[in-house]
Amino acid sequence: MAKEIQSSTANAQHGVAKARGLFDPEILVHAGAGAFRKLDPRVQLRNPVMFVVLVGTCVCFVEAVAHPSIFTWSVTVWLALTVLFANFAEAMAEGRGKAQADTLRKMRTETEARLLAADGTERRVPASQLAKGDRVVCEAGDLIPSDGEIAEGVASVDESAITGESAPVIRESGGDRSAVTGGTKVLSDRIVVEITAEPGHTFLDRMIGLVEGASRQKTPNEIALTILLAALTIIFLPVVVVLRPFGSYAHSQVSVVILIGLLVCLIPTTIGALLSAIGIAGMDRLVQRNVLAMSGRAVEAAGDVSTLLLDKTGTITLGNRMASAFLPVGGSDEQALADAAQLASLADETPEGRSIVVLAKERFALRERELTEDHSFIPFSAQTRMSGLDIAGRQIRKGAAEAVRRFVTAAGGSIPGDLDEIVERVAKAGSTPLAVADGPRVLGVVELKDVVKEGIAERFDQLRAIGIKTVMITGDNPLTAAAIASEAGVDDYLAEATPETKMALIVAEQEGGKLVAMTGDGTNDAPALAQADVGVAMNTGTTAAKEAGNMVDLDSNPTKLIDIVEVGKQLLITRGALTTFSIANDVAKYFAIIPALFAETYARPHHPGPLEVLNVMHLHSPTSAVLSAVIFNAIIIIALIPLALRGVRFRPASAMSILRRNVWIYGVGGLVMPFIGIKLIDMLLTVTRLY
Amino acid sequence: MSVAFLATLAAMIVCLALAWRYLGSYLVAVYEGRVKWLSFVERPLYRLLGTDPDAEQSWQRYTLSLIIFSGVSILVTYVLLRAQGVLPLNPQHLKGVTPGLAWNTSVSFVTNTNWQNYAGESTMSYLSQMVALVVQNFVSPAVGMLVAIALIRGFARRSVSYIGNFWVDLVRSVIYILLPISSVFALVFIAQGAVQTFGGPVHVYDALNHVTQTIPRGPVASQEAIKQLGTNGGGYFNANGAHPFENPTGLTNFLSILLLLSIPVALTYTFGKMVGNVRQGVAVLAAMTILFGAWLAVTVAAEQGHNPAVAAAGLVHQPGGNMQGKETRFGASSSALYGVASTQTSTGSADSSYDSYTPLGGLGLMAGMAQGDVTPGGVGSGLYTILLSAIIAVFIGGLMVGRTPEYLGKKIQAREVKLASFGVLVMPITVLVLTGIAVAIPAGASAALNKGPHGFSEVFYALLSQGNNNGSAFAGLSGNTAFYNIVGGIDMLIGRFAIIVAVLALAGALAKKGIVPASAGTFRTDTPMFVGLLVGVIVLVGALTFFPALSVGPIVEQFLHGRFF
């Protein structure tokens, strides 16, 4: 039972394809080559910040050819490296997805389908020729050629190629377990599948596109940030260009190479270089958790979510009710009740029945016994609503209180006065009462409790801290729902939920300006999944549900919604933090370059110029100062790639405490760090005696 | 720093606190249409303008009305100035204003800049001063205020496409706010001895020197109150607030500073009240106050210290601080307070000569403008411009908490970021490019009185001041040239209307949005943390854009220790 709780972490290890480390050597090599391929100006034009760096590099190159010196060539080389480092970061982020896409692609190409004609004959065709509506036959050992719904039969299917989960799953026609995915393997039995996807638009195709980032579009926040970065690039153009006339006015020549160095240092290259890598890595982090987001927009929306709708069963509770107490009535003995209940449950293979046997063993050391006497089991039926055992003349029964009451009355027994009271108390606590009778005597009540998952209340506390409201969705009556809701610590609940009430709740929340996330798997969840801002469909769910939602969870683990929200937030935080860092860096760069630029301005002969006082870092010479700033600016990109790919650490806390932390690290840190970094590089350059 | 100066500061703070609270809530009542005591004036005016006071406008129509109104204002002012020679109320028989100067001056007064490339007493007739210029002294601050109010409405409203009625907001700003308050204070100025007459100049025979001195007079006091209240700053006399006819006593000096700060400060209360949380206004005011206080401290300390040029001549001990160019009536500290208050509110009036400030003191004056004149800035313009920086701060800070950033419940997305960045950066770009041109060509560089960094400061200051619609003059620049008249006019137009159009577009975009309810996951904008971020954004944008210019101006001059060129 604990498996499900751990699964979100466990699955991180067996992602869509074989998991690779962030810095897998193979990916590094590919990314190195990609860095040069991305020098194509058409690619560069998509990123205004880096495009300016590229143009600046070209101008510097011309200057360096015209006026060769160690300084001009050094600056040119380091500017070129700045562009390459940015390309490298993006290629790195794409690398892992590309490797996964390759694995998936192999799966797609080699499949052959057994097309079923209307007259029942079979024909072998390549999977790529299947059209919507075609029927194909799959038997044990066959790969399912494309996405579809099972029209006939039932089969166990190995979906590990898609989900990474090795345990086979049962798929059958009709109901909510009828969808099959192309590329998965039938392990037993024979099924007829009706194809539901056009060629090239299968789930596998979409998955390849997603992990590869081919269909990647900029997300709303990314667009807004790109605009801000473009504005910060545009403003520094005149700032730098006018330094020429400013310098001339003060009778000092300002070198073009230094101006370009200054420009590149001032425009937000750090975030500009890493922005797309951050976005790709964010999507990738979801893929590693076995969640496929159909768009980056959905990932970003996950960070904005303020209301989570969580299904009770499977998400909040373990899904099965468990016996938790024996409550004797009418003065009978608790042990006698436990004994009778265990006897009545020996043949009951339902989880509830097993749990009664286990509880009796734990409480009274009552062993499961071999029944020697003559006996017969009475199975549960919808008519009697009871099950039990006839043994040695005893008629032991357990079942709904109403049914047991009828059984006892019919057997000539009387109903103890405290039965109703106990039954009601158990129901009020959100549990299910199960009455136990031995012939005409009611022995007592077994309390079957809906067990709330371990640790779930803490998760809800964390969500509350980051401002997210949790709403439990359940088909239970309001009384039961309230009891479980208070035990699990959710903020609100929707009892006796129907698809309509669920939909109404989503719309009401959205009208209040909130963003809503939910999970679902059934066809009747589809409208709500489509309406929700983040709709996570379970991979076990129907095709309708998967198409309505904007994410698919391959593990079909509803608890993962919480992880998705965190990934969304982490994505935005990483962008914000690196933007802050990038801008804060500019201060130190000014203090390095401005004194160097105007070193000679208004200087007396053989004296340092008056602006030398601004050289607070005591950099060695004007050329070493400029070069140090340019080198720092390039190296910081490489240094921050791991952070961009992993994301800034997210700890659930209130917005203001997250902000305070990030402002200190990336704002104040970004202000101070380059002073140290530039000084160190300057010291190293001084050792070379070249500058 | 004397006890008297500290007492002045304390009194100022108390008076401003009262203005913040009570003038602030009065402004809310005016713009929400709850003030009606002049409806007998208001209604006929609407009939005259042909506007239905209950019909609101979309941001596009609102902007169009504003542009048409301002365009007509520039044209009318231009014509009146050009024709003043043949118009009445011209006892000095002054000729019509030249085309270049008339262009610069009409743009200057319509944009609430009040940059003056002329000496009022020897250039403008009474009619020009009283009709052409004073009318603009009332309507141009009204335009600033209504733009701020339109932006506040954008934040406060949800899912609507209307941001108010330009004509109604204009009329109400003038008749309920600017006219009554300035009328009362004009009387105080008259009582204190400011001149108010149609009698023309007086001629006094100076028997000692055997010369006849001509002392210009005119309807001065009526201009004084609105000059300060509307953060206009255009003086009747060239000497502006240093002239005893404009600013006769210590009390009028105090009131001058109080008046120019009162509406910009009060508007932060209005903002908080109208968006439903006064603390939001307090946060904005706190950011303004921190920066104002910091630059005031720099300037006062620099002016209390010694003049480096005088010190270089051997006089290190200079009691009373740097008194060059200061009125002995006011002294160094009080003049520095007036100077900082006037430059940081985009008023531009002065009671001392900034050209004679120490380089660091001059830097303190430029700093407010380099930050975009938002601390607290001009009437209306200070608030709407600082809110643009607030949007940038919210965007960066909001990302850092992991949500689509929102300010006052409004999501800050691509369109908002685009408009806010444009609004924040258009002034620095304009000022830098024009300064670059000015120092590169003889027509620009030769107009400066001094050479070297001080000359650079004179040119830079002029274009910075006009680009911020401040109007403060550093002096030392011969501004009445074809180059500076034309370029200055462009500078002022862009600095005013490019930002206004961006702000109104923003108001329209915000009004259309719904409001996201606040939760623990929201980046709160009524906290010290946000104040810190806002201050950071303003300082960083100002420093990153203007640090090189300031380096080759006042900063290098400071470290030349009094060397001249």
Side-chain angles (χ1 to χ4, degrees):
Chain A
M1 286 299 169
K3 179 181 161 277
E4 249 186 86
I5 302 165
Q6 290 165 355
S7 61
S8 65
T9 40
N11 279 317
Q13 274 108 56
H14 57 256
V16 172
K18 270 141 239 66
R20 286 166 187 272
L22 269 181
F23 300 99
D24 187 280
E26 199 184 325
I27 293 177
L28 282 174
V29 171
H30 279 289
F36 286 93
R37 255 198 314 279
K38 284 173 188 283
L39 280 176
D40 185 341
R42 282 167 302 180
V43 178
Q44 293 294 316
L45 209 51
R46 268 184 282 162
N47 184 339
V49 181
M50 296 317 294
F51 184 71
V52 168
V53 182
L54 185 69
V55 171
T57 312
C58 295
V59 176
C60 264
F61 177 75
V62 173
E63 273 295 302
V65 171
H67 312 285
S69 75
I70 292 175
F71 173 70
T72 51
W73 277 110
S74 306
V75 172
T76 308
V77 166
W78 278 101
L79 290 183
L81 283 174
T82 310
V83 179
L84 286 174
F85 289 170
N87 291 346
F88 181 72
E90 196 181 273
M92 279 284 295
E94 287 167 351
R96 203 148 56 153
K98 282 236 162 65
Q100 285 167 353
D102 289 343
T103 318
L104 292 171
R105 209 172 269 127
K106 273 180 207 138
M107 207 150 66
R108 187 180 55 179
T109 46
E110 294 150 12
T111 324
E112 201 171 51
R114 292 160 62 184
L115 185 64
L116 196 64
D119 57 7
T121 56
E122 271 182 36
R123 192 155 54 86
R124 292 201 170 256
V125 296
S128 55
Q129 288 180 10
L130 290 175
K132 213 169 170 174
D134 285 348
R135 286 181 165 227
V136 294
V137 177
C138 296
E139 277 178 324
D142 287 349
L143 277 180
I144 297 176
S146 184
D147 299 354
E149 298 270 350
I150 298 180
E152 290 169 27
V154 52
S156 62
V157 179
D158 174 9
E159 295 193 337
S160 61
I162 302 283
T163 64
E165 178 65 64
S166 54
V169 291
I170 302 298
R171 293 279 178 257
E172 58 188 329
S173 62
D176 285 349
R177 297 279 178 271
S178 61
V180 288
T181 312
T184 57
K185 194 174 192 176
V186 178
L187 293 180
S188 68
D189 306 286
R190 175 183 186 273
I191 48 174
V192 175
V193 176
E194 185 171 325
I195 301 301
T196 53
E198 293 293 351
H201 294 89
T202 65
F203 188 69
L204 203 59
D205 290 312
R206 274 198 291 172
M207 215 166 134
I208 291 168
L210 283 167
V211 296
E212 206 170 37
S215 54
R216 206 180 96 81
Q217 282 176 327
K218 282 186 177 162
T219 55
N221 276 308
E222 198 178 352
I223 293 170
L225 184 54
T226 308
I227 290 171
L228 181 69
L229 298 182
L232 285 174
T233 307
I234 292 167
I235 176 66
F236 286 119
L237 284 169
V239 166
V240 169
V241 169
V242 296
L243 286 176
R244 283 282 277 201
F246 287 6
S248 309
Y249 178 86
H251 307 292
S252 43
Q253 258 318 313
V254 176
S255 111
V256 173
V257 173
I258 296 186
L259 285 184
I260 290 171
L262 178 63
L263 175 65
V264 170
C265 285
L266 291 179
I267 63 176
T269 48
T270 314
I271 178 68
L274 297 173
L275 186 58
S276 79
I278 294 170
I280 297 166
M283 293 285 276
D284 189 52
R285 270 199 299 283
L286 272 186
V287 173
Q288 299 309 313
R289 293 182 196 212
N290 262 359
V291 175
L292 290 185
M294 295 306 156
S295 69
R297 186 183 284 261
V299 184
E300 224 168 53
D304 287 350
V305 158
S306 40
T307 306
L308 281 188
L309 305 190
L310 299 166
D311 280 326
K312 183 198 80 173
T313 309
T315 311
I316 294 169
T317 63
L318 290 175
N320 301 313
R321 290 168 301 181
M322 310 268 281
S324 65
F326 297 110
L327 307 165
V329 297
S332 59
D333 180 39
E334 194 182 346
Q335 185 162 358
L337 168 63
D339 183 61
Q342 193 183 48
L343 280 172
S345 305
L346 283 178
D348 187 351
E349 286 299 328
T350 63
E352 287 90 347
R354 304 301 315 153
S355 76
I356 293 173
V357 175
V358 170
L359 184 70
K361 189 162 75 186
E362 280 173 1
R363 296 287 305 277
F364 299 104
L366 295 172
R367 303 254 124 227
E368 270 187 67
R369 54 210 113 168
E370 282 301 313
L371 295 174
T372 46
E373 291 121 299
D374 182 32
H375 65 275
S376 67
F377 288 110
I378 312 295
F380 180 84
S381 83
Q383 277 79 41
T384 61
R385 292 167 63 211
M386 289 188 303
S387 63
L389 171 77
D390 289 347
I391 182 167
R394 291 166 73 194
Q395 285 187 310
I396 303 173
R397 294 288 183 277
K398 68 174 175 24
E402 218 24 65
V404 172
R405 182 195 291 267
R406 250 186 287 119
F407 170 79
V408 169
T409 316
S414 63
I415 309 298
D418 50 354
L419 178 69
D420 283 350
E421 187 203 324
I422 287 180
V423 164
E424 199 174 317
R425 203 179 69 214
V426 170
K428 257 195 188 139
S431 304
T432 308
L434 208 60
V436 179
D438 185 351
R441 264 187 72 211
V442 180
L443 294 174
V445 172
V446 180
E447 182 177 359
L448 291 179
K449 212 170 166 185
D450 227 344
V451 181
V452 171
K453 281 186 181 176
E454 213 178 314
I456 200 83
E458 285 76 40
R459 292 303 291 268
F460 293 149
D461 284 343
Q462 292 173 352
L463 286 172
R464 202 167 300 114
I466 58 176
I468 293 174
K469 177 178 147 189
T470 45
V471 182
M472 183 182 85
I473 308 289
T474 172
D476 292 345
N477 64 60
L479 219 59
T480 313
I484 295 171
S486 89
E487 192 187 341
V490 292
D491 298 310
D492 204 351
Y493 62 87
L494 179 67
E496 286 166 358
T498 61
E500 290 75 30
T501 56
K502 218 162 154 179
M503 186 74 170
L505 177 66
I506 294 174
V507 171
E509 290 284 319
Q510 286 173 334
E511 273 170 3
K514 293 181 172 171
L515 263 63
V516 182
M518 67 168 286
T519 58
D521 54 2
T523 301
N524 58 14
D525 282 332
L529 279 171
Q531 177 69 31
D533 301 282
V534 177
V536 183
M538 300 294 105
N539 192 45
T540 51
T542 59
T543 313
K546 282 201 259 183
E547 270 169 12
N550 47 18
M551 291 191 196
V552 175
D553 178 15
L554 300 175
D555 296 335
S556 306
N557 170 14
T559 318
K560 213 173 302 157
L561 202 47
I562 300 171
D563 293 351
I564 294 171
V565 169
E566 290 189 359
V567 168
K569 285 196 177 294
Q570 203 186 21
L571 181 65
L572 295 186
I573 292 176
T574 308
R575 283 194 200 128
L578 289 183
T579 304
T580 309
F581 184 83
S582 197
I583 298 171
N585 270 206
D586 280 1
V587 175
K589 292 169 187 169
Y590 259 139
F591 277 98
I593 297 181
I594 292 291
L597 198 60
F598 296 114
E600 305 295 318
T601 305
Y602 303 123
R604 287 198 171 101
H606 313 298
H607 280 79
L611 281 179
E612 179 62 21
V613 288
L614 294 181
N615 184 7
V616 290
M617 287 174 269
H618 299 291
L619 302 179
H620 174 68
S621 68
T623 48
S624 77
V626 173
L627 191 57
S628 301
V630 171
I631 294 176
F632 175 83
N633 192 55
I635 285 181
I636 200 75
I637 294 173
I638 286 286
L640 289 175
I641 288 178
L643 182 72
L645 297 189
R646 287 208 191 95
V648 168
R649 199 144 62 94
F650 176 77
R651 271 192 306 207
S654 76
M656 291 320 277
S657 66
I658 295 175
L659 181 68
R660 206 171 301 121
R661 186 186 136 88
N662 289 332
V663 165
W664 274 107
I665 297 177
Y666 299 98
V668 179
L671 214 55
V672 176
M673 214 189 93
F675 279 101
I676 301 164
I678 291 173
K679 177 68 186 169
L680 284 177
I681 295 170
D682 182 74
M683 285 160 74
L684 285 175
L685 289 179
T686 312
V687 172
T688 67
R689 292 176 185 278
L690 287 172
Y691 304 96
Chain B
M1 226 183 298
S2 61
V3 175
F5 177 65
L6 290 176
T8 308
L9 266 187
M12 188 68 69
I13 290 167
V14 171
C15 292
L16 283 174
L18 293 171
W20 178 76
R21 174 62 185 79
Y22 295 103
L23 180 57
S25 65
Y26 178 68
L27 296 183
V28 177
V30 168
Y31 289 110
E32 286 181 350
R34 285 184 277 119
V35 177
K36 295 192 168 88
W37 57 282
L38 284 171
S39 58
F40 61 97
V41 186
E42 210 183 336
R43 303 218 159 269
L45 275 172
Y46 295 144
R47 271 197 297 279
L48 196 68
L49 289 164
T51 188
D52 172 6
D54 298 320
E56 293 213 344
Q57 297 170 309
S58 65
W59 81 263
Q60 290 96 335
R61 289 205 70 85
Y62 199 97
T63 310
L64 188 68
S65 306
L66 187 151
I67 297 290
I68 290 172
F69 175 75
S70 300
V72 169
S73 292
I74 292 175
L75 195 69
V76 169
T77 312
Y78 180 84
V79 169
L80 283 174
L81 295 182
R82 296 278 292 132
Q84 71 169 7
V86 295
L87 293 173
L89 282 176
N90 185 7
Q92 285 166 276
H93 306 292
L94 297 166
K95 282 183 294 193
V97 180
T98 58
L101 186 59
W103 148 258
N104 187 280
T105 306
S106 54
V107 169
S108 169
F109 277 75
V110 171
T111 56
N112 194 241
T113 312
N114 294 33
W115 175 264
Q116 294 166 298
N117 272 339
Y118 60 89
E121 60 270 41
S122 55
T123 316
M124 297 295 169
S125 72
Y126 288 179
L127 185 86
S128 294
Q129 296 262 26
M130 287 188 68
V131 179
L133 303 184
V134 170
V135 164
Q136 290 308 318
N137 277 355
F138 280 97
V139 295
S140 71
V143 166
M145 286 164 83
L146 56 84
V147 172
I149 294 297
L151 180 58
I152 295 173
R153 288 188 188 126
F155 279 113
R157 294 177 173 187
R158 63 175 80 190
S159 314
V160 295
S161 47
Y162 298 103
I163 58 169
N165 181 318
F166 171 80
W167 305 104
V168 172
D169 290 341
L170 179 71
V171 166
R172 297 185 72 86
S173 303
V174 173
I175 67 170
Y176 287 118
I177 302 162
L178 299 169
L179 263 175
I181 300 177
S182 61
S183 302
V184 170
F185 283 95
L187 292 176
V188 177
F189 273 80
I190 292 172
Q192 287 290 309
V195 170
Q196 179 74 11
T197 177
F198 284 140
V202 286
H203 306 281
V204 184
Y205 179 65
D206 179 352
L208 213 60
N209 297 311
H210 304 290
V211 289
T212 299
Q213 207 181 344
T214 301
I215 300 175
R217 300 180 305 172
V220 178
S222 58
Q223 257 198 48
E224 268 328 279
I226 189 63
K227 170 184 107 179
Q228 304 291 51
L229 181 70
T231 63
N232 292 295
Y236 191 94
F237 299 107
N238 195 28
N240 208 305
H243 197 299
F245 286 0
E246 284 201 19
N247 185 8
T249 66
L251 178 64
T252 56
N253 198 53
F254 178 86
L255 289 177
S256 294
I257 302 174
L258 176 64
L259 281 175
L260 60 84
L261 287 169
S262 53
I263 293 181
V265 166
L267 270 172
T268 61
Y269 180 89
T270 311
F271 165 66
K273 196 76 187 165
M274 286 177 80
V275 300
N277 179 3
V278 175
R279 284 173 56 106
Q280 300 286 356
V282 175
V284 171
L285 180 63
M288 291 171 165
T289 309
I290 289 168
L291 289 168
F292 183 90
W295 293 116
L296 178 66
V298 168
T299 308
V300 168
E303 295 311 299
Q304 278 291 333
H306 59 242
N307 182 329
V310 178
L315 283 170
V316 178
H317 187 63
Q318 297 166 31
N322 172 30
M323 281 302 289
Q324 189 197 338
K326 307 259 181 351
E327 265 266 32
T328 45
R329 290 185 295 157
F330 306 130
S333 302
S334 175
S335 298
L337 172 63
Y338 194 120
V340 170
S342 167
T343 49
Q344 303 218 357
T345 52
S346 88
T347 307
S349 58
D351 73 351
S352 54
S353 170
Y354 301 152
D355 204 21
S356 307
Y357 273 43
T358 61
L360 218 53
L363 174 70
L365 300 175
M366 291 182 212
M369 294 187 276
Q371 289 163 1
D373 253 346
V374 292
T375 56
V379 165
S381 66
L383 183 68
Y384 66 66
T385 312
I386 202 171
L387 289 179
L388 298 178
S389 294
I391 286 175
I392 305 283
V394 160
F395 182 71
I396 297 173
L399 282 181
M400 275 198 288
V401 305
R403 260 167 75 138
T404 297
E406 60 216 39
Y407 188 35
L408 305 167
K410 300 284 186 175
K411 280 198 172 161
I412 304 303
Q413 290 163 310
R415 184 169 170 77
E416 290 73 34
V417 170
K418 192 188 292 174
L419 292 168
S421 315
F422 175 81
V424 167
L425 297 179
V426 69
M427 180 280 289
I429 291 179
T430 312
V431 170
L432 284 171
V433 169
L434 294 180
T435 308
I437 294 170
V439 297
I441 64 173
S446 63
L449 177 70
N450 299 82
K451 299 278 168 248
H454 200 71
F456 180 86
S457 293
E458 289 166 351
V459 172
F460 174 60
Y461 195 105
L463 293 163
L464 183 64
S465 167
Q466 293 178 74
N468 277 293
N469 303 126
N470 190 302
S472 165
F474 201 56
L477 184 81
S478 314
N480 190 12
T481 64
F483 176 79
Y484 280 107
N485 277 330
I486 294 168
V487 163
I490 295 168
D491 199 13
M492 290 184 279
L493 278 181
I494 296 176
R496 181 73 165 180
F497 294 109
I499 298 178
I500 282 182
V501 171
V503 169
L504 290 176
L506 190 62
L510 290 171
K512 280 207 186 75
K513 293 183 176 237
I515 290 181
V516 182
S519 73
T522 309
F523 167 30
R524 286 181 56 194
T525 51
D526 55 353
T527 57
M529 189 75 212
F530 173 71
V531 174
L533 264 183
L534 180 54
V535 168
V537 166
I538 295 169
V539 171
L540 263 181
V541 170
L544 293 180
T545 49
F546 287 117
F547 184 69
L550 294 171
S551 297
V552 293
I555 295 176
V556 74
E557 190 188 354
Q558 177 73 22
F559 297 113
L560 284 168
H561 304 292
R563 262 171 62 207
F564 291 115
F565 294 88

